[in-house]
Amino acid sequence: MNDIFLDILPKIDLHGFDRDSARVRVNDFVEEAYIVGYDEILFIHGIGEGIVKNAVLEALRKNKKVFSYQDVCFVFTFYIEVRLVLLRRME
């Protein structure tokens, strides 16, 4: 990525994951980031057939620690999408 602000956020690249592995890793990464106290994290996935993307979206939608998420970057030359996730604040 070429955005200095996105480069400093914790991120995980899900290229090569299957649907179930991606879903588990998304939930694990959200949990780890929440415990450490991060407010924002990034998920990187391909654009292919949308299998991993849909698994990511489903996991984020169901996760109670996720406040919101949005696409922040689409790099056609590398066939990646980057999704910014905002976590709920720890209380």
Side-chain angles (χ1 to χ4, degrees), residues 12-18 21-22 25-26 43-46 52 56:
I12 184 168
D13 188 339
L14 298 170
H15 281 97
F17 282 69
D18 62 30
S21 297
R25 193 61 190 116
V26 165
F43 290 97
I44 301 167
H45 55 77
V52 172
V56 169

Side-chain angles (χ1 to χ4, degrees), residues 35-59:
I35 289 169
V36 172
Y38 288 117
D39 294 325
E40 300 173 327
I41 56 177
L42 296 174
F43 290 97
I44 301 167
H45 55 77
I47 59 171
E49 296 177 17
I51 294 169
V52 172
K53 175 182 177 176
N54 291 335
V56 169
L57 292 174
E58 179 184 350

Side-chain angles (χ1 to χ4, degrees), residues 10-88:
K11 64 187 81 42
I12 184 168
D13 188 339
L14 298 170
H15 281 97
F17 282 69
D18 62 30
R19 175 190 337 233
D20 294 330
S21 297
R23 191 176 306 129
V24 168
R25 193 61 190 116
V26 165
N27 286 319
D28 288 349
F29 194 65
V30 166
E31 183 66 27
E32 292 165 8
Y34 184 83
I35 289 169
V36 172
Y38 288 117
D39 294 325
E40 300 173 327
I41 56 177
L42 296 174
F43 290 97
I44 301 167
H45 55 77
I47 59 171
E49 296 177 17
I51 294 169
V52 172
K53 175 182 177 176
N54 291 335
V56 169
L57 292 174
E58 179 184 350
L60 294 175
R61 187 172 48 254
K62 291 180 177 180
N63 194 307
K64 302 273 188 229
K65 292 183 172 98
V66 172
F67 177 70
S68 67
Y69 52 89
Q70 65 184 10
D71 290 339
V72 292
C73 180
F74 173 76
V75 182
F76 184 71
T77 55
F78 297 110
Y79 299 101
I80 65 170
E81 270 187 75
V82 179
R83 190 161 315 279
L84 174 66
V85 177
L86 301 178
L87 301 179
R88 296 188 187 281

